[in-house]
Amino acid sequence: MNEKILIVDDEREIADLLEVYLQNDHYVVYKFYNGTDALRCMEETDIDLAVLDVMLPDIDGFRICQKIREKFFFPVIMLTAKIEDSDKIMGLTIGADDYITKPFNPLEVVARVKTQLRRCSRYNTSISGQPVEKSEYDIRGLVINKESHKCFLYGREIFLTPIEFSILWYLCEHQGKVVPSEELFEAVWKEKYLNNNNTVMAHIGRLREKLEEPAKKPRFIKTIWGVGYGIE
């Protein structure tokens, strides 16, 4: 069965363009120019993925995303004309799976849709509709497997210490969300976090070295200053 994609954008040219590209890839598209009709559609239709514009005339995309996460597990991709980090952080924090800034290439959106659907079909839900425990994550060439306790970057094995592996695994488990330093420390070390504890930052630094992360624009582990870390 072809996946059902929900598009919500009040810029009709953009919504219409995305509809054409997605239909060309044989997706079933439900297109709306406002949030109210989109929410009604979600209650009546089994949606597989939503593409939401942030700025809408009635209900903003953040609020729609929050409502989706109250009931559904399907992926959400946010669209926005803004480039502020605060908007991106907010979207990822409330449960968005990906974030695309306008203007964009429609083919990129289609590629992101395919990636999210593939990840969702492999990992996200069981028959009961509840999240299932994953044994492996594949994030743009970064593969980490819990059963084998191995990590690969573009096919080359990266040797991690148990602590480094646990940090990376926890971030992957919470992909698309910001993980506070306190939460990350207590989840990995099983101890109470202290405000002056730089242990997490030091281990993140070593992880980035092993992942060959560029200092200014890391590909995987992002620092959200004053909050924590996240993998997008």
Side-chain angles (χ1 to χ4, degrees), residues 21-204:
Y21 274 80
L22 288 167
Q23 286 179 340
N24 285 343
D25 266 272
H26 309 293
Y27 293 110
V28 178
V29 176
Y30 295 82
K31 178 184 62 178
F32 298 95
Y33 304 122
N34 64 77
T36 302
D37 292 340
L39 288 171
R40 186 179 301 115
C41 174
M42 283 187 288
E43 295 295 337
E44 301 171 350
T45 308
D46 293 329
I47 297 299
D48 295 295
L49 181 145
V51 180
L52 307 177
D53 184 27
V54 170
M55 302 299 293
L56 295 168
D58 51 353
I59 308 172
D60 68 56
F62 295 135
R63 181 58 181 156
I64 296 175
C65 184
Q66 287 178 317
K67 286 184 172 295
I68 289 174
R69 286 295 170 254
E70 290 173 1
K71 294 184 178 181
F72 307 107
F73 294 103
F74 59 75
V76 174
I77 298 176
M78 304 292 291
L79 302 177
T80 181
K82 296 183 177 181
I83 59 174
E84 287 84 355
D85 286 341
S86 59
D87 290 318
K88 187 173 183 179
I89 293 169
M90 178 180 293
L92 295 175
T93 301
I94 63 178
D97 298 277
D98 203 352
Y99 209 95
I100 302 176
T101 303
K102 300 177 181 178
F104 51 75
N105 185 329
L107 291 175
E108 178 187 357
V109 178
V110 174
R112 301 277 192 102
V113 166
K114 290 180 179 179
T115 297
Q116 292 299 330
L117 287 173
R118 184 167 58 248
R119 179 179 296 134
C120 183
S121 64
R122 289 178 61 188
Y123 301 128
N124 278 357
T125 56
S126 64
I127 296 176
S128 65
Q130 298 300 317
V132 297
E133 184 178 357
K134 302 179 184 181
S135 61
E136 182 177 285
Y137 288 89
D138 183 348
I139 302 175
R140 303 186 305 280
L142 173 62
V143 179
I144 182 170
N145 188 290
K146 190 174 184 179
E147 294 179 354
S148 65
H149 219 266
K150 291 184 177 181
C151 178
F152 297 86
L153 180 63
Y154 307 130
R156 177 172 57 87
E157 186 171 1
I158 304 297
F159 297 97
L160 304 179
T161 67
I163 289 294
E164 290 167 351
F165 186 95
S166 296
I167 292 174
L168 185 59
W169 180 262
Y170 194 83
L171 291 175
C172 288
E173 279 188 310
H174 297 78
Q175 182 185 3
K177 298 179 175 61
V178 179
V179 178
S181 299
E182 178 180 355
E183 176 185 336
L184 185 57
F185 180 87
E186 294 180 357
V188 173
W189 277 269
K190 311 298 183 185
E191 298 176 6
K192 185 65 178 177
Y193 180 84
L194 301 176
N195 290 333
N196 61 348
N197 195 325
N198 294 320
T199 304
V200 172
M201 182 172 63
H203 279 80
I204 290 290

